[in-house]
Amino acid sequence: MLDFAAARERLLAAARGIERVETLPIEACLGRILAEDARALSDSPPGDVSTLDGYAIAVRDLAPAGETRLRVTQRIAAGQTGGPLEPGSAARIFTGAAMPPGADAIVAQEAARREGDEVVFARHPAPFEDVRRQGEDFRSGAVLVPAGTRLAPAHLGLAASGGIDRCSVFGRLRVALLTTGDEVVPPGQPLHPGQIYNANAPLLSGLLQQLGCEISHVEHLPDHFDTTLDGLKRIAPACDVILTSGGVSVGEEDHVKSAVEHLGTLDMWKVRMKPGKPLAFGHVLGTPFIGLPGNPVSGFVTFLLFARPFLLASMGATTPAPRPIRLPAAFARPRASERREFARGRITADQRVELYANQGSGILSSLGWAEVLVELPENETLAPGDPVNTYLLAELMA
């Protein structure tokens, strides 16, 4: 069995980014992977602007002491431009409005009083106080969002603020999702003795859609070697990645592993982890293949820790490794395990981490309860209060 870190490194090293690129309106780019740097087309802000409602003045016109009295000669609302500020004058100005030439500070309206066509105030603002300077946020030509970024709403807003209305993004990754098992039937049908409902198809389909993949095929394969072989042979040329659930363990009815070896290569099999030991990776007729364990929890955990990073890299994304937070354990682990474990947990009110009572790999209810994966290192015992690496599921699935 491969060590967890070595297996993850090997899988990521094998990822090859897709080359399909398309240009889309920025409103259609949410969740897509940027193929080229998004560079600002203008400064932001494009000129000096007022940060509040008040009066634009020139610091040179401030009285040496006491109150300053200036004539109000113009009114500038947001979206308008004013004329040059005459000596001894002020401009009534509103939040977001462009500063008139010659003005270099703002006096807030609360700090001033209006007397006819004059404004009177005692404040002595510093030069450019309450003024957003031209290019304060970024300059024209600056890289606003680097290539490889998975575009979130904030990225879209930032790009738009730089004048960008279209982005070059990588095409969607086409993933074929195949579940297996003669005992597995679709929800909605009556269960016969020995059968279970197919939870993996909607679980993994949801994770793939959340990631922004295009699911090119969703099929269920029976426990039959020739049928599995024909299905893989038919699907491989029509997708970018094959993702399977089940059929990669050591049983006589686990045909996916042998079918992959018949059609291509099995480059990795078995990882020293729990749950998820039977994880497999290889190629079917040149198409990358990831074989997840059939137990729903095992499939969920291995998808987040292995398949998801591989798929993101294949999509062209540059993403950091998962970032754990260190929290004290609210549990004991008196016996060490030879495998690294990822347990379903939840953060308590006093900022400790507790575990779901039943950590079995078929206990799907634990996923609805959990908010974190808790990393339990191999060959270590734990006592309450010991710090453990804790991964937020919200971040792992973002």
Side-chain angles (χ1 to χ4, degrees):
M1 285 188 290
L2 277 173
D3 168 78
F4 172 84
R8 184 181 162 86
E9 184 177 342
R10 179 181 296 188
L11 190 69
L12 288 176
R16 298 291 179 266
I18 58 177
E19 297 180 355
R20 299 187 303 274
V21 174
E22 52 188 336
T23 301
L24 298 177
I26 195 167
E27 297 84 0
C29 291
L30 181 64
R32 303 297 292 269
I33 310 300
L34 197 60
E36 299 176 359
D37 291 344
R39 293 181 177 272
L41 302 180
S42 67
D43 295 347
S44 179
D48 293 353
V49 297
S50 174
T51 65
L52 44 76
D53 295 344
Y55 296 88
I57 67 163
V59 171
R60 65 173 184 271
D61 289 331
L62 292 172
E67 292 186 333
T68 298
R69 181 180 295 269
L70 300 173
R71 291 177 297 106
V72 180
T73 57
Q74 51 185 315
R75 182 182 186 276
I76 310 171
Q80 299 176 347
T81 56
L85 195 67
E86 300 172 0
S89 72
R92 179 71 168 115
I93 199 166
F94 297 89
T95 303
M99 294 286 286
D104 58 8
I106 298 291
V107 177
Q109 63 183 22
E110 307 92 276
R113 69 178 186 273
R114 189 70 178 264
E115 295 183 357
D117 63 354
E118 294 182 326
V119 62
V120 183
F121 54 91
R123 282 211 66 234
H124 277 59
F128 298 103
E129 185 173 337
D130 292 318
V131 176
R132 281 190 65 205
R133 303 303 309 277
Q134 179 176 347
E136 180 180 296
D137 194 356
F138 53 79
R139 290 289 186 180
S140 179
V143 175
L144 300 181
V145 190
T149 299
R150 188 171 172 226
L151 294 168
H155 298 128
L156 302 184
L158 176 59
S161 73
I164 297 169
D165 66 336
R166 301 178 69 82
C167 293
S168 293
V169 297
F170 289 111
R172 291 192 185 277
L173 193 72
R174 300 168 302 189
V175 181
L177 174 60
L178 309 177
T179 57
T180 64
D182 286 344
E183 80 283 13
V184 178
V185 297
Q189 296 187 8
L191 281 180
H192 298 295
Q195 292 183 327
I196 59 172
Y197 287 125
N198 189 345
N200 283 324
L203 173 65
L204 297 173
S205 176
L207 289 169
L208 289 170
Q209 291 178 65
Q210 196 172 48
L211 198 56
C213 298
E214 175 188 332
I215 303 177
S216 61
H217 303 77
V218 179
E219 296 187 21
H220 186 77
L221 300 177
D223 291 329
H224 188 272
F225 176 76
D226 288 338
T227 306
T228 301
L229 193 72
D230 290 343
L232 291 174
K233 189 185 302 184
R234 170 174 49 83
I235 288 170
C239 65
D240 298 310
V241 178
I242 299 171
L243 183 72
T244 65
S245 169
V248 291
S249 194
V250 294
E252 293 181 5
E253 298 299 326
D254 290 314
H255 298 295
V256 173
K257 173 179 174 292
S258 53
V260 170
E261 291 176 310
H262 187 84
L263 293 171
T265 60
L266 194 67
D267 307 317
M268 186 180 84
W269 183 50
K270 291 187 178 180
V271 180
R272 195 177 294 113
M273 65 177 292
K274 181 181 179 181
K277 181 178 73 171
L279 178 72
F281 172 74
H283 290 81
V284 176
L285 302 176
T287 300
F289 153 84
I290 300 177
L292 304 179
N295 281 321
V297 172
S298 300
F300 177 80
V301 172
T302 49
F303 181 93
L304 294 185
L305 299 178
F306 285 91
R308 184 179 184 276
F310 177 86
L311 294 173
L312 281 170
S314 300
M315 293 162 68
T318 54
T319 54
R323 297 170 294 182
I325 53 177
R326 298 282 281 177
L327 291 175
F331 58 89
R333 190 200 196 196
R335 288 179 297 183
S337 170
E338 293 183 351
R339 289 190 281 165
R340 187 176 306 194
E341 296 185 30
F342 290 88
R344 283 83 73 202
R346 183 184 274 180
I347 300 172
T348 65
D350 58 353
Q351 294 300 296
R352 298 189 302 160
V353 63
E354 60 180 343
L355 302 184
Y356 194 73
N358 189 338
Q359 290 289 323
S361 58
I363 307 301
L364 196 55
S365 56
S366 65
L367 299 183
W369 175 89
E371 60 185 5
V372 297
L373 289 181
V374 185
E375 185 175 3
L376 309 176
E378 53 267 60
N379 304 316
E380 288 186 21
T381 59
L382 291 170
D386 288 347
V388 290
N389 283 345
T390 305
Y391 298 87
L392 298 174
L393 286 175
E395 184 172 326
L396 289 176
M397 294 190 293

